[in-house]
Amino acid sequence: MDLSTSHFVALLPLLVLSATIVVVMLAIAWRRHHSLTFMLSVIGLNLALLSIIPALRVAPLEVTPLLLVDRFACFYMALILVATLACLTLAHAYLGESGRSGYPGNREEFYLLMLLAAAGGLVLVSAQHLAGLFIGLELLSVPTYGLVAYAFFNRRSLEAGIKYMVLSAAGSAFPLFGMALLYAGSGTLGFVGVGATLESATGTSPLIQIGMGMLLVGLAFKLSLVPFHLWTPDVYEGAPAPVTAFLATASKVAVFAALLRLFQLAPAGTNPWLHDLLALIAIASILIGNLLALLQSNLKRLLGYSSIAHFGYLLVALVASRGLAVEAVGVYLLTYVLTSLGAFGVITLMSTPYSGRDADALYEYRGLFWRRPYLTAVLTVMMLSLAGIPLTAGFIGKFYLVAVGVEARLWWLIGALVLGSAIGLFYYLRVMVTLFLLEPNLRRHDAPFNWGQRAGGIMLLAIAVLAFFLGVYPQPLLDLARQAGIAALG
Amino acid sequence: MENEPEMILPWLILIPFIGGLLCWQAERFSLTLPRWLALATMALVLLLGLWLWSQGEFHLAPTPGSEQVWELEFKYPWIQRFGINLHLALDGLSLLMILLTGLLGVLSVLCSWKEIQKHVGFFHLNLMWILGGVIGVFLALDLFLFFFFWEMMLVPMYFLIALWGHSAEDGRSSRINAATKFFIFTQASGLVMLVAILGLVFVNFNETGVLTFDYSLLLQANLAPGTEYLLMLGFFVAFAVKLPVVPVHSWLPDAHAQAPTAGSVDLAGILLKTAAYGLLRFAVPLFPNASAEFAPIAMWLGLLGIVYGALLAFAQTDIKRLVAYTSVSHMGFVLIGIYSGNPLALQGVVVQMVAHGLSAAALFILCGQLYERLHTRDMRQMGGLWGRLNYLPGVMLFFSAASLGLPGTGNFIGEFLILLGSFQVVPLIAVLATGGLVLASIYSLIVMQRAFYGPAHDETTLAGLNGRELTMMFSLIGLLVLLGLYPQPLLDTSAASMHGVQQWLGAAFSQLVSTW
């Protein structure tokens, strides 16, 4: 296959990001400097973000059989890059200033690892071939092991890192085996080819079905869907807060986008067995995620369980897979990323600068409103948005999912969604009201006094305002998501 | 700015929201400034409502089979992707509800003047936002917008109960649990309504190819009988929880008992009315045939509510819980009135809604005033208060009498019209519901007996009602008596709206009869 200029233009976001990684790596080798590394990473990410515009001009374009850069890929690339940018900004505050309080070890590699993981995400969202999917998945996961264990002198972080690595490696083995089976059954690894086989007579052969099933298991692991969710709370709790934010946003978005493309091009709906399996996973994730979150007293664990439930909600759109589904996933993922970044951002700023452990116990947030009103306002908006209450972006996302479910007449899933939301309210409200309770004596974990001036604080306020704005006037968001359709190239 | 009368509709909603934000910030300057700002905000809403009342004729209201016309209408595109508009409209029914909201808004600011001493600004922010959301519910004519306001007003109400509420002395039922229970009940049932709304929209979309949430367009949707019934149930569940109808009422006494006075006033006076309004505006006109089919069940549920609410009210020792249960009982009448489909009964429903709004608000304010003086709501610790308090026992006697439906008060007109009207349709239920009036006199008089007569626990004289409290009480007494003696202006205002509802149900009833 010939590579022309337009192919390079289409790949530009990935190329710019890769170049940034090399530059950052060389810069670290040349001289360790926290702020310099941060600035280089931010500049690189912004350039990558800008380079999506020329990439959109040539989209949709197939770049090698592995990757397809279309509007869908561009939308999710932008989402991942923005999420990474936000996580880096949070991390900069979290790791602390050089020479003073903050993270005691080497800070610079943090940025390198996160950029690498983001590159994996970019590959993943544009993959149209199982090999591309696997490369992306691994490129996304392997740096994350390092990130989770980045605070390695904290036992919990190290434990979480090792746990994530072992389970994630096992989780990666499943799709690999599934791909082998699919290849054996269909003779191709492209999504479209697999889809054609699924629809043909050989699609019902056990080889293909088990292959698809194993692929689903692997991706479900990354998305922490029930019953592959066991790692989530521990890893969320153990990982440093900015890393948790990254895991909850960029990492999951990339995997879900890849899953969505796979299921759109190789429809699982034609296969009743897989369809039922997905529906079952969705219901289990919604109910179990919400139920387990009920009694958590650790905010990170709570958000971890709630993310299990949220991806259960998202599966409703995946099961429907027709009509509004792709659009709904776009809207929901964007609102979810916004909300999660806000919530984990508040935790990060509360734990800033790094001081051994994160401020993630719920009691540390008691009466926060009377001490840090703006930070509390952000977290309140985020909790309301996660619960899907009007005036917040989360409501629009939930509205979309219910619309998709009703359109596709998935009454069982809708029932689970309604029930799950009702259960979910309980713990979101619990967190919210904790923030407002009067607690005069507790002043242990405070965000730095000038948090509002810091980049992280301003960004959080912007996120909260955006979440509110999109909840009141969602039209631009809906237009954007509507544009981000999957190109059906042969 | 265009000087057109329909611009007043978005302003009616915006004024409380903006006022609330001002109150919040005003706390920086002084503790009383938020109170005055809130008072001015609600007075402005009330005055705008009164001005609208004086201007309009209110002959225009939605009726079946014709182009929908309104007294005032405002439409602005919002989310084009789904055909959602900021569509607001006003007819007689919504105007009356807005007047009630404005009036009770003023009262709830006044009654918290002394009670709320911490975080005054934030309190009034929540209060104003509840009222803004409620006005939005009464004006919204786009189903999405309606749902939006319906859910939105829960959040400030939650804060109001959770942050400024009272926890029971035994610590068993805290205000946070009550607030959470309230929120989960109403939010979950609201989601069921959202599913029903979307079901209706997509049925309409499959048929006409137009994706819209607009009330007047959805009124013309053709629904298969089974679908219609299911969708109607989805709406009914949400309204039944909020009304409340008996099997799903359990949030109400808790929420009332723990809420601050202003919260109880809004909850009983206005929030419960949003459910009745929703039934009249949405559930019945959108699904007339299913509603007619469902009517007997709804009326029996209403009867159950009357009796059950009255019996439980009688058994309470907490005076606020008692008043809360009487609301359950009174709302049973409303439910019977709505589903009887009789024009008299429907007019009675409107009077009952307004009268109950006033009398329940007054009773809750009185409970709040008692609590401020005695620091208990337990009637076992009261007794003999008649001699120790100025004015309050007499005022309480008046409102207890109003609550039991004494002729001369608005409550009598409401209940009488409902019973008279429904007797022509369902004599058995009407006769049994009349028995509820007897129960009402028992629980109303038992309050007087337990709290104000009998041996006194203490001989010290308690502070009587001051000027602010007396003004509130006497204006409510005046209005309630006026409503009882001369309800005609009210009936004229709502006549067209109720006529429309009656036609929808009447046609469906006759169709139902002809199929038997």
Side-chain angles (χ1 to χ4, degrees):
Chain A
M1 183 179 182
D2 291 327
L3 284 176
S4 64
T5 324
S6 55
H7 287 102
F8 283 107
V9 173
L11 268 190
L12 212 49
L14 187 59
L15 293 177
V16 171
L17 189 59
S18 308
T20 311
I21 293 167
V22 175
V23 169
V24 168
M25 191 167 66
L26 291 177
I28 296 172
W30 173 58
R31 195 162 82 89
R32 281 197 177 276
H33 191 283
H34 185 205
S35 290
L36 178 72
T37 317
F38 172 67
M39 285 316 292
L40 282 175
S41 315
V42 167
I43 292 169
L45 278 174
N46 277 315
L47 284 178
L49 207 52
L50 281 178
S51 67
I52 289 179
I53 299 169
L56 266 175
R57 292 230 180 85
V58 296
L61 188 66
E62 197 174 42
V63 189
T64 74
L66 295 189
L67 302 179
L68 169 66
V69 179
D70 53 3
R71 285 171 174 277
F72 177 82
C74 287
F75 175 75
Y76 286 102
M77 280 185 187
L79 203 53
I80 290 171
L81 288 173
V82 170
T84 311
L85 204 54
C87 293
L88 282 187
T89 314
L90 291 173
H92 183 243
Y94 178 82
L95 295 174
E97 285 157 40
S98 318
R100 275 195 278 160
S101 64
Y103 181 79
N106 288 328
R107 302 187 175 101
E108 290 76 11
E109 282 81 357
F110 192 97
Y111 302 101
L112 192 60
L113 289 172
M114 206 172 258
L115 290 175
L116 272 167
L122 296 195
V123 173
L124 203 50
V125 295
S126 39
Q128 59 151 346
H129 189 277
L130 289 175
L133 183 113
F134 191 74
I135 294 172
L137 208 55
E138 287 305 290
L139 192 52
L140 177 68
S141 305
V142 175
T144 320
Y145 307 153
L147 280 174
V148 171
Y150 203 75
F152 58 89
F153 20 75
N154 178 332
R155 240 187 76 238
R156 285 187 174 281
S157 174
L158 193 59
E159 182 194 325
I162 290 170
K163 192 176 258 176
Y164 187 58
M165 185 180 77
V166 171
L167 287 176
S168 189
S172 297
F174 275 96
L176 207 54
F177 193 29
M179 285 170 203
L181 291 179
L182 280 177
Y183 187 67
S186 65
T188 172
L189 285 174
F191 287 1
V192 178
V194 172
T197 317
L198 267 176
E199 276 166 13
S200 70
T202 45
T204 49
S205 78
L207 218 54
I208 298 279
Q209 297 213 354
I210 293 174
M212 275 307 269
M214 292 191 114
L215 202 53
L216 183 64
V217 167
L219 294 176
F221 175 85
K222 302 283 178 195
L223 293 172
S224 60
L225 293 165
V226 173
F228 313 104
H229 65 287
L230 294 168
W231 59 275
T232 315
D234 291 338
V235 171
Y236 270 46
E237 187 190 357
V243 178
T244 316
F246 185 82
L247 269 179
T249 56
S251 160
K252 284 199 170 178
V253 165
V255 177
F256 201 88
L259 184 65
L260 181 65
R261 189 195 287 271
L262 174 66
F263 275 49
Q264 287 290 312
L265 297 181
T270 53
N271 186 331
W273 178 76
L274 266 178
H275 187 269
D276 291 350
L277 182 70
L278 261 183
L280 210 62
I281 291 180
I283 293 175
S285 302
I286 292 173
L287 294 182
I288 293 180
N290 276 319
L291 283 174
L292 290 179
L294 276 183
L295 296 173
Q296 297 302 322
S297 57
N298 182 303
L299 200 51
K300 275 174 162 179
R301 288 183 85 88
L302 186 146
L303 287 171
Y305 282 117
S306 112
S307 88
I308 296 173
H310 278 279
F311 278 85
Y313 300 152
L314 264 170
L315 277 190
V316 174
L318 200 64
V319 174
S321 81
R322 281 169 288 139
L324 290 168
V326 175
E327 198 182 326
V329 170
V331 170
Y332 199 88
L333 276 179
L334 198 148
T335 59
Y336 177 75
V337 163
L338 204 61
T339 318
S340 296
L341 280 178
F344 285 112
V346 171
I347 299 178
T348 311
L349 284 193
M350 284 288 287
S351 324
T352 298
Y354 177 85
S355 60
R357 62 173 288 274
D358 290 348
D360 54 5
L362 205 48
Y363 70 83
E364 288 169 285
Y365 290 79
R366 275 183 84 104
L368 192 70
F369 179 70
W370 317 111
R371 292 177 277 142
R372 296 276 173 273
Y374 292 103
L375 204 55
T376 311
V378 173
L379 193 53
T380 307
V381 173
M382 294 312 142
M383 284 298 143
L384 290 176
S385 183
L386 282 172
I389 308 294
L391 284 183
T392 60
F395 169 66
I396 303 297
K398 189 172 276 176
F399 170 76
Y400 243 107
L401 284 188
V402 176
V404 169
V406 171
E407 192 192 23
R409 292 155 199 265
L410 302 166
W411 303 121
W412 280 103
L413 288 173
I414 291 290
L417 197 154
V418 170
L419 189 63
S421 309
I423 302 170
L425 276 180
F426 181 82
Y427 57 86
Y428 293 129
L429 288 179
R430 203 161 68 98
V431 173
M432 209 171 74
V433 83
T434 306
L435 300 171
F436 292 87
L437 285 180
L438 284 175
E439 195 71 14
N441 305 325
L442 201 88
R443 280 187 158 270
R444 211 154 63 79
H445 267 277
D446 277 0
F449 189 68
N450 62 342
W451 77 271
Q453 283 104 48
R454 281 179 187 249
I458 294 167
M459 187 190 75
L460 279 189
L461 272 186
I463 285 176
V465 170
L466 194 61
F468 178 77
F469 176 76
L470 289 180
V472 178
Y473 186 66
Q475 187 64 33
L477 165 65
L478 306 192
D479 287 339
L480 191 67
R482 206 178 174 189
Q483 299 287 324
I486 293 177
L489 277 188
Chain B
M1 204 66 215
E2 297 169 81
N3 194 15
E4 287 172 35
E6 64 260 25
M7 282 309 292
I8 209 170
L9 297 181
W11 277 111
L12 274 175
I13 300 174
L14 280 176
I15 287 170
F17 280 101
I18 296 169
L21 288 175
L22 289 179
C23 293
W24 184 33
Q25 290 307 317
E27 195 187 356
R28 293 165 190 271
F29 305 108
S30 123
L31 279 186
T32 43
L33 189 59
R35 301 183 202 279
W36 285 109
L37 275 174
L39 194 62
T41 308
M42 287 333 290
L44 187 60
V45 170
L46 183 60
L47 286 177
L48 277 177
L50 287 173
W51 180 75
L52 279 174
W53 201 12
S54 69
Q55 295 292 309
E57 294 289 321
F58 300 103
H59 295 317
L60 302 176
T63 42
S66 62
E67 194 66 23
Q68 300 307 317
V69 281
W70 302 87
E71 197 63 37
L72 275 178
E73 197 171 357
F74 172 86
K75 200 167 184 176
Y76 192 79
W78 183 21
I79 308 174
Q80 290 99 328
R81 174 76 186 89
F82 285 100
I84 295 169
N85 296 307
L86 289 172
H87 189 187
L88 309 170
L90 184 88
D91 68 346
L93 179 64
S94 22
L95 177 83
L96 287 176
M97 289 300 115
I98 285 168
L99 284 176
L100 187 67
T101 311
L103 179 69
L104 293 186
V106 170
L107 288 175
S108 46
V109 175
L110 282 175
C111 74
S112 356
W113 211 273
K114 279 270 163 50
E115 185 191 355
I116 304 301
Q117 290 300 339
K118 55 181 186 191
H119 316 301
V120 181
F122 193 52
F123 174 83
H124 285 96
L125 172 79
N126 284 310
L127 194 60
M128 294 297 108
W129 281 37
I130 296 173
L131 296 167
V134 169
I135 294 176
V137 165
F138 288 140
L139 287 178
L141 266 202
D142 186 287
L143 262 64
F144 182 87
L145 188 64
F146 171 74
F147 180 78
F148 188 85
F149 283 123
W150 179 266
E151 296 272 281
M152 199 218 73
M153 64 187 175
L154 302 182
V155 180
M157 193 71 213
Y158 173 81
F159 277 127
L160 213 60
I161 301 174
L163 298 181
W164 289 274
H166 313 276
S167 282
E169 280 91 358
D170 55 2
R172 190 169 46 87
S173 51
S174 78
R175 54 182 201 269
I176 292 171
N177 287 346
T180 309
K181 197 169 173 186
F182 158 76
F183 200 104
I184 291 177
F185 262 82
T186 34
Q187 222 271 344
S189 63
L191 273 181
V192 176
M193 178 164 75
L194 178 64
V195 174
I197 290 177
L198 283 165
L200 176 64
V201 166
F202 279 113
V203 167
N204 186 51
F205 175 65
N206 288 338
E207 200 180 297
T208 62
V210 182
L211 195 57
T212 180
F213 282 75
D214 198 82
Y215 179 66
S216 39
L217 290 174
L218 289 175
L219 276 178
Q220 291 149 21
N222 271 324
L223 302 170
T227 321
E228 185 182 346
Y229 201 81
L230 276 177
L231 293 178
M232 187 275 303
L233 278 185
F235 276 72
F236 184 79
V237 165
F239 298 140
V241 167
K242 197 74 150 266
L243 193 57
V245 174
V246 154
V248 283
H249 68 290
S250 74
W251 60 270
L252 180 107
D254 289 340
H256 270 304
Q258 321 302 355
T261 306
S264 296
V265 169
D266 287 353
L267 207 54
I270 322 170
L271 256 66
L272 305 190
K273 308 302 178 287
T274 58
Y277 173 85
L279 286 172
L280 288 170
R281 174 73 77 225
F282 294 101
V284 170
L286 284 172
F287 317 105
N289 299 314
S291 299
E293 204 179 326
F294 185 69
I297 304 175
M299 284 190 276
W300 280 106
L301 284 174
L303 183 65
L304 181 66
I306 293 176
V307 177
Y308 183 85
L311 288 180
L312 262 94
F314 175 68
Q316 299 306 312
T317 52
D318 182 326
I319 192 164
K320 252 181 132 180
R321 283 183 86 91
L322 190 152
V323 181
Y325 275 111
T326 69
S327 294
V328 177
S329 184
H330 287 133
M331 287 299 118
F333 283 102
V334 169
L335 198 59
I336 292 180
I338 291 172
Y339 278 95
S340 70
N342 180 284
L344 269 182
L346 283 167
Q347 283 287 45
V349 166
V350 177
V351 180
Q352 171 81 350
M353 276 156 73
V354 175
H356 175 260
L358 298 178
S359 65
L363 284 172
F364 278 119
I365 294 174
L366 286 167
C367 293
Q369 292 171 353
L370 270 179
Y371 184 80
E372 278 175 37
R373 288 166 174 78
L374 296 169
H375 303 289
T376 178
R377 296 190 313 256
D378 193 337
M379 284 188 289
R380 287 167 299 190
Q381 297 178 27
M382 294 181 184
L385 290 177
W386 193 283
R388 295 172 60 199
L389 263 169
N390 266 338
Y391 299 115
L392 199 149
V395 175
M396 189 87 177
L397 183 61
F398 174 83
F399 285 109
S400 294
S403 171
L404 65 80
L406 199 72
T409 59
N411 306 56
F412 170 74
I413 307 284
E415 279 167 14
F416 183 74
L417 283 178
I418 290 173
L419 291 172
L420 193 66
S422 53
F423 185 75
Q424 298 168 13
V425 187
V426 277
L428 179 63
I429 291 178
V431 167
L432 291 174
T434 314
L437 289 178
V438 179
L439 295 172
S441 28
I442 296 177
Y443 65 66
S444 300
L445 294 176
I446 208 82
V447 180
M448 295 308 297
Q449 170 63 30
R450 285 188 196 157
F452 297 105
Y453 297 103
H457 284 265
D458 197 345
E459 289 306 321
T460 52
T461 319
L462 296 161
L465 296 186
N466 61 25
R468 170 179 60 88
E469 292 165 331
L470 276 178
T471 318
M472 286 196 291
M473 285 302 123
F474 278 108
S475 50
L476 279 175
I477 291 177
L479 283 171
L480 216 48
V481 171
L482 189 67
L483 192 59
L485 297 181
Y486 187 55
Q488 199 56 40
L490 195 92
L491 296 175
D492 287 342
T493 310
S494 65
S497 315
M498 288 301 115
H499 180 67
V501 176
Q502 190 266 324
Q503 280 191 319
W504 262 300
L505 263 181
F509 272 129
S510 50
Q511 204 180 351
L512 201 62
V513 170
S514 65
T515 55
W516 282 344

